[in-house]
Amino acid sequence: MALDDMKNTGKEDTSGHEITAKGYMRYLVNILVLCGIILALTAAVVFLLVRLGTQGREYRALEEELSAISEGKQYYTDEELKAMTAESGEREAVRARSALLQQIQSSLESGESTISMLRKLFPGDLVVKNGEKYYFYPVDAEAPKNGFGGRDFRLDDQGHLSYVGDEDVGTVLGIDIPDASAVTSWDDVKESGVSFAFLEIFREEVSPEDGGTSYVPDESFAGNVRLAGEAGIETGGSFSLHALSADEAEAAADAAVQVLKEAGLEECPVALAVLPGTEDQASPRLSRSEWTENVLAAAARLRENGYRPVIQGTIASFTMMLEISELEEVDKWIMNYREELYYPYDFTYWQYATTGQVNGITGNVNMDIRVFRSGQ
């Protein structure tokens, strides 16, 4: 066969078959199609494997959920949980309100006073009444506490208050007398069990509207101090503090010191009475910080002269008028006219009655105890 004939008819492959150009192209196309099919099958296999894995996990989760339900557990959606939580909160609020109303109703039916009822309902606050209003003051966490329970003190058959709790605590009976002219026999007072007495230093305290206070000494003070001492009764002085500034407070302390020294009293306790006033008195015009500053100024002046200051006040005094956490270094004298103690902070004296009866004194007298722990 001539060379030109071979070009026209094609070429011969290694197996001896003749391959034309058109056939070669079909061959390449078939190869590409086959590769595409293989790739598609591979992708399908991978997809099926992934899908099987996902379904397997879902199946296992479903098995766990079914198992949990069979064991008494329950699964909820987020929306269901929110709805259930809100419903539970509403039910709890209704129960709390119902319990509160029942407690109030029970207290009113038993004849309990409003202030007593409120104090039971709000144990975390000090509830005080001033005028016709009730005030709630959170207990100061920083102020030293007395640690006593409400029922750690009891009145005996004679009406004298004493400690009956479990701690090593003692009490001493005392009195404070606004008018010492009511005393007929200090010896009889002593025989009644009285160990200490506070006497008013001033007969009159005049507080003009423009500020400043004039103090008129009680002329019988020195004589009663002497007679009480001869009967074996420890004595101290007391006066009401009406100062509108620290300077006035120091002036009041200086006036008291002069009377005490003239009576021969040295190193005795001196009580500063701080009491809530009416609208025309000083106390509403002063803030708690101002009152505290004045009390500390008077106490410092007394201490400089060798006397031991004591702050006397009601629960309202120590909550509405004073910052108790600032008065840690000064002894407290709480006026609390009930057998059950309602005062969480540390104190030294407790005036528990204003209608006491003591031999040797005409009429009613204020009854007090001094509280001390072992080693004091």
Side-chain angles (χ1 to χ4, degrees):
M1 179 180 296
L3 181 59
D4 292 337
D5 293 336
M6 292 181 65
K7 291 180 180 180
N8 293 330
T9 59
K11 61 180 178 179
E12 190 175 289
D13 63 4
T14 55
S15 60
H17 298 287
E18 184 178 353
I19 300 176
T20 64
K22 187 180 294 186
Y24 183 73
M25 290 300 297
R26 284 198 299 271
Y27 176 78
L28 292 178
V29 170
N30 290 336
I31 293 297
L32 292 175
V33 170
L34 182 61
C35 289
I37 293 173
I38 293 173
L39 289 174
L41 290 174
T42 302
V45 171
V46 170
F47 173 80
L48 290 175
L49 290 175
V50 171
R51 182 61 180 168
L52 288 174
T54 301
Q55 289 182 341
R57 288 192 296 271
E58 292 176 350
Y59 178 78
R60 286 192 296 271
L62 179 61
E63 280 188 328
E64 292 177 359
E65 183 173 344
L66 292 174
S67 176
I69 293 175
S70 66
E71 294 175 0
K73 298 180 182 179
Q74 186 71 35
Y75 287 84
Y76 302 96
T77 65
D78 288 342
E79 294 300 324
E80 289 174 333
L81 286 175
K82 290 178 181 178
M84 292 174 62
T85 301
E87 183 180 354
S88 176
E90 292 174 359
R91 287 199 302 268
E92 185 62 30
V94 171
R95 282 196 294 267
R97 182 175 182 273
S98 177
L100 178 61
L101 291 176
Q102 290 178 2
Q103 189 172 355
I104 293 174
Q105 180 181 359
S106 176
S107 298
L108 294 176
E109 290 176 350
S110 67
E112 185 176 16
S113 66
T114 302
I115 188 69
S116 297
M117 176 186 65
L118 290 175
R119 287 173 175 177
K120 289 181 179 178
L121 293 176
F122 299 93
D125 294 323
L126 280 174
V127 184
V128 297
K129 182 180 180 181
N130 190 34
E132 297 301 320
K133 297 181 179 180
Y134 296 90
Y135 299 86
F136 299 79
Y137 290 88
V139 175
D140 192 327
E142 301 299 325
K145 309 300 186 296
N146 59 55
F148 296 132
R151 301 185 180 276
D152 281 349
F153 294 85
R154 282 289 180 273
L155 293 170
D156 60 22
D157 295 337
Q158 296 178 308
H160 297 166
L161 189 69
S162 61
Y163 180 76
V164 295
D166 298 330
E167 298 182 33
D168 191 5
V169 174
T171 58
V172 178
L173 184 66
I175 57 175
D176 63 282
I177 309 174
D179 185 5
S181 64
V183 179
T184 58
S185 172
W186 282 104
D187 289 329
D188 289 346
V189 173
K190 176 64 177 178
E191 291 178 2
S192 298
V194 173
S195 296
F196 68 88
F198 281 85
L199 308 178
E200 286 286 340
I201 296 174
F202 304 114
R203 179 174 58 84
E204 187 178 12
E205 302 161 1
V206 181
S207 301
E209 293 183 0
D210 58 351
T213 302
S214 300
Y215 297 95
V216 180
D218 188 334
E219 296 177 355
S220 67
F221 181 80
N224 280 291
V225 166
R226 179 179 57 80
L227 293 173
E230 291 175 354
I233 297 176
E234 298 178 6
T235 55
S238 64
F239 66 95
S240 296
L241 187 66
H242 301 298
L244 298 180
S245 67
D247 290 340
E248 289 186 20
E250 291 176 349
D254 290 339
V257 167
Q258 182 177 350
V259 177
L260 291 166
K261 290 187 178 297
E262 290 176 355
L265 273 180
E266 302 286 346
E267 299 181 354
C268 69
V270 180
L272 309 170
V274 180
L275 302 175
T278 58
E279 291 297 327
D280 59 346
Q281 291 179 320
S283 55
R285 289 182 277 169
L286 299 179
S287 66
R288 293 172 69 191
S289 60
E290 289 171 332
W291 260 115
T292 303
E293 180 183 1
N294 294 349
V295 167
L296 289 174
R301 187 58 61 92
L302 290 172
R303 196 178 289 113
E304 289 172 4
N305 287 275
Y307 297 98
R308 178 165 56 88
V310 182
I311 305 172
Q312 182 187 33
T314 63
I315 294 175
S317 302
F318 288 109
T319 52
M320 301 179 68
M321 299 174 64
L322 299 170
E323 295 175 340
I324 191 67
S325 60
E326 301 295 325
L327 303 172
E328 183 176 349
E329 301 301 321
V330 187
D331 288 342
K332 318 298 186 305
W333 184 351
I334 181 65
M335 304 165 75
N336 184 80
Y337 307 119
R338 45 188 282 158
E339 186 176 358
E340 184 177 352
L341 179 63
Y342 185 74
Y343 185 74
Y345 305 119
D346 195 19
F347 68 93
T348 303
Y349 296 91
W350 178 355
Q351 184 186 99
Y352 64 89
T354 58
T355 58
Q357 298 291 313
V358 175
N359 293 336
I361 299 179
T362 303
N364 295 331
V365 63
N366 298 331
M367 302 298 300
D368 307 276
I369 56 173
R370 182 171 68 240
V371 181
F372 61 91
R373 288 177 168 82
S374 178
Q376 290 183 339

